[in-house]
Amino acid sequence: AAPPIFREGPPPATGEERLGLFEHLERELDEAGFFHPPEKRPSMVQNLRSALGKAPLSVQEVRTFRGVVTALSRGRGRVLAKLAAKKAAKDGSA
């Protein structure tokens, strides 16, 4: 077998795929209120993109990160729905 350095690895993510990850993450962070105060948003976005941009991500790694972002955002929705249901039940019983 060829030495490990010569073996073909997973395909690298394209610039478009990486940009999609960045935008997806930023949208969800906006929705969660992460960028506070608002005037710090540009530098915070730049820091996130810089940190993630240093990693030589594969297509599969980008997909995995996007799945993580989606799972976290859906989890947030479930938590908010549970809180609203509890509040409605409490308000209805009062």
Side-chain angles (χ1 to χ4, degrees), residues 8-82:
E8 195 171 313
T14 65
E16 185 175 311
E17 289 164 329
R18 294 169 72 86
L19 181 59
L21 169 61
F22 298 156
E23 290 173 344
H24 184 188
L25 177 61
E26 291 158 17
R27 255 191 328 274
E28 294 301 334
L29 290 173
D30 271 328
E31 190 68 28
F34 176 78
F35 298 117
H36 187 76
E39 60 272 9
K40 288 191 174 184
R41 186 186 190 284
S43 64
M44 294 170 84
V45 165
Q46 182 60 42
N47 288 338
L48 288 167
R49 287 187 180 206
S50 178
L52 283 172
K54 291 176 183 174
L57 298 173
S58 70
V59 170
Q60 188 56 52
E61 290 166 335
V62 166
R63 289 179 183 156
T64 299
F65 272 112
R66 291 192 72 162
V68 167
V69 171
T70 297
L72 289 172
S73 67
R74 288 182 180 165
R76 179 187 70 237
R78 284 195 302 273
V79 168
L80 293 176
K82 285 180 185 178

Side-chain angles (χ1 to χ4, degrees), residues 1-9:
I5 197 162
F6 295 113
R7 290 186 192 147
E8 195 171 313

